[in-house]
């Protein structure tokens, strides 16, 4: 009780409500001008996980995926049915694919003397095109990365701290799909549609699914369904996605991984001067592991047909020393 009272006083002193997903002064979270660089800065100082797991921590919220959590997650496998959350790597330039995969065959069956096939891949995976995991060294905030490291520790040779190689043992935990498009009764959210903390809470109440510490939360906007219906568009300029208010909800729940089928943030963000505030709040402040551009169409069908929205999620990034992230093929198993 004493600890809770102290926490309440600290939150009150920062002008933030102690309610999960709440906003400064208890005002509606979509109040114009409420989410500003100054209010987000105050939130980061109050909420950030720097030092929580020690000065040398390289894992961030992956620390919340304990051995006990992994064993609980494995118990969610009842049918043995697996579903990929990866979008097939795009090989053609488009408004939402400025950097397509270069797939070069270096040995193939057209040569009469060939005895094998081989290829080479060249991929710039960050951005709004390809399914990838952001390393904790990927985002800078006022000259620092997660846990207070100077951004100069990321140089021309790569990340000397917080690289994706720290995740080489993988992320294995309970996944929870929040299909926000289906929740709002539409096949997909239109570009620019924000997903607030209150939306995430409302989804929990409707489906009677509680997000808990160490979980991976996977949010579907229907981006790939919209692309199939109306064609590609410049997702980096206008995109559905998470509103800044969601960061407090993820922090309060102790979420370890957040995946979306877009680039995480709603664009425009609604925060003056900040393109992707949720990236900064989750990665740099909390140390949350973020997966961008997942393809959640097959997962949405699998979950809906079962009336079941939690499952085992496994993510195995490439072991790249100094890497700022990795293309990934996350797998959900029911």
């Amino acid at each position: 009780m004493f600890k809770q009272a102290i926490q309440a006083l600290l939150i009150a002193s920062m002008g933030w409500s102690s309610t999960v997903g709440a906003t400064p002064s208890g005002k509606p979270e979509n109040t114009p001008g409420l989410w500003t660089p100054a209010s987000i800065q105050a939130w980061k100082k109050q909420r950030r996980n720097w030092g929580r797991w020690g000065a040398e921590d390289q894992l961030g919220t992956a620390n919340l995926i304990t051995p006990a959590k992994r064993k609980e997650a494995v118990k969610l496998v009842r049918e043995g049915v697996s579903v990929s959350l990866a979008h097939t790597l795009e090989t053609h330039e488009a408004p939402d694919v400025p950097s397509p995969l270069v797939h070069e065959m270096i040995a193939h069956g057209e040569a009469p003397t060939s005895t094998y096939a081989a290829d080479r891949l060249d991929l710039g995976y960050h951005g709004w095109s390809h399914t990838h995991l952001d390393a904790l060294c990927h985002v800078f905030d006022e000259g620092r990365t997660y846990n207070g490291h100077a951004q100069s520790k990321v140089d021309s040779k790569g990340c000397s701290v917080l690289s994706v190689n720290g995740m080489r043992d993988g992320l294995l935990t309970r996944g929870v799909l929040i299909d926000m498009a289906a929740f709002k009764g539409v096949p997909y959210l239109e570009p620019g549609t924000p997903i607030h903390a209150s939306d995430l809470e409302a989804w929990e109440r409707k489906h009677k699914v509680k997000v808990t510490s160490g979980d991976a939360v996977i949010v579907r906007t229907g981006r790939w369904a919209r692309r199939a219906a109306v064609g590609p568009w410049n997702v980096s300029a206008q995109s559905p996605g998470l509103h800044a208010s969601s960061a407090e909800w993820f922090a309060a729940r102790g979420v370890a991984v957040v995946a979306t089928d877009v680039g995480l943030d709603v664009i425009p963000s609604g925060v003056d001067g900040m393109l992707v505030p949720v990236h900064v709040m989750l990665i740099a402040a909390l140390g949350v592991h973020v997966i961008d551009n997942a393809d959640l169409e097959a997962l949405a069908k699998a979950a809906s047909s079962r009336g079941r929205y939690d499952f085992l999620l496994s993510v195995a990034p490439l072991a790249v020393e100094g890497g700022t992230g990795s293309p990934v093929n996350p797998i959900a198993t029911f």
Side-chain angles (χ1 to χ4, degrees):
M1 291 296 291
F2 177 77
K3 182 178 180 180
Q4 292 174 338
I6 292 297
Q7 184 181 38
L9 286 172
L10 286 171
I11 292 173
S13 71
M14 295 299 297
W16 293 80
S17 166
S18 60
T19 304
V20 173
T23 56
S25 306
K27 296 178 182 177
E29 58 195 10
N30 58 350
T31 300
L34 177 64
W35 291 90
T36 64
S39 64
I40 288 175
Q41 183 68 9
W43 181 92
K44 289 184 297 185
K45 288 182 178 179
Q46 175 208 338
R47 271 306 208 179
R48 64 191 181 193
N49 283 327
W50 296 8
R52 179 176 176 181
W53 295 288
E56 302 304 316
D57 175 47
Q58 300 284 303
L59 302 180
T61 53
N63 285 286
L64 299 172
I65 306 176
T66 62
K69 183 71 179 182
R70 294 188 189 96
K71 289 191 287 186
E72 290 174 5
V74 169
K75 292 178 182 177
L76 294 171
V77 178
R78 300 166 193 165
E79 303 170 56
V81 175
S82 292
V83 181
S84 169
L85 280 63
H87 187 72
T88 300
L89 293 169
E90 295 285 343
T91 57
H92 298 287
E93 189 171 343
D96 57 345
V97 188
S99 180
L101 168 72
V102 177
H103 182 199
E104 178 187 1
M105 294 300 297
I106 56 178
H108 48 78
E110 293 179 358
T113 59
S114 178
T115 58
Y116 66 93
D119 53 4
R120 178 180 180 274
L121 306 180
D122 185 351
L123 178 66
Y125 55 85
H126 282 298
W128 286 266
S129 305
H130 309 291
T131 308
H132 67 273
L133 173 72
D134 289 336
L136 296 183
C137 63
H138 174 54
V139 172
F140 305 145
D141 182 28
E142 297 189 325
R144 300 285 171 179
T145 61
Y146 165 71
N147 224 21
H149 296 288
Q151 72 177 49
S152 59
K153 291 189 176 181
V154 182
D155 59 21
S156 60
K157 296 179 180 179
C159 306
S160 62
V161 295
L162 305 174
S163 87
V164 74
N165 205 33
M167 292 294 103
R168 63 182 298 138
D169 292 332
L171 297 162
L172 186 78
T173 191
R174 177 189 184 228
V176 177
L177 172 67
I178 297 181
D179 189 340
M180 194 51 59
F183 178 69
K184 292 182 178 290
V186 294
Y188 45 78
L189 301 183
E190 290 294 343
T193 303
I195 298 170
H196 295 93
S198 57
D199 294 317
L200 302 174
E201 290 185 337
W203 182 94
E204 274 189 316
R205 288 194 298 271
K206 177 180 179 179
H207 291 282
K208 297 180 173 58
V209 176
K210 185 73 172 179
V211 171
T212 60
S213 178
D215 282 350
V217 173
I218 301 150
V219 182
R220 176 181 176 267
T221 72
R223 178 259 185 96
W224 298 109
R226 186 180 191 277
R227 192 182 198 266
V230 305
W233 76 99
N234 186 357
V235 185
S236 67
Q238 192 175 33
S239 173
L242 294 169
H243 182 264
S245 64
S246 66
E248 169 61 17
W249 188 85
F250 292 124
R253 290 287 193 271
V255 171
V257 180
V258 177
T260 66
D261 52 4
V262 286
L264 189 70
D265 291 72
V266 62
I267 300 174
S269 70
V271 180
D272 289 341
M274 297 187 74
L275 175 64
V276 287
V278 185
H279 261 87
V280 175
M281 297 163 85
L282 293 191
I283 298 176
L286 299 179
V288 170
H289 298 272
V290 168
I291 297 172
D292 292 325
N293 310 312
D295 191 331
L296 306 178
E297 298 310 297
L299 178 62
K301 291 176 183 177
S304 177
S305 67
R306 292 168 171 79
R308 180 182 164 200
Y309 296 90
D310 64 346
F311 39 82
L312 172 67
L313 181 74
S314 56
V315 185
L318 299 174
V320 182
E321 186 63 45
T324 64
S326 171
V328 289
N329 179 16
I331 302 293
T333 307
F334 290 89

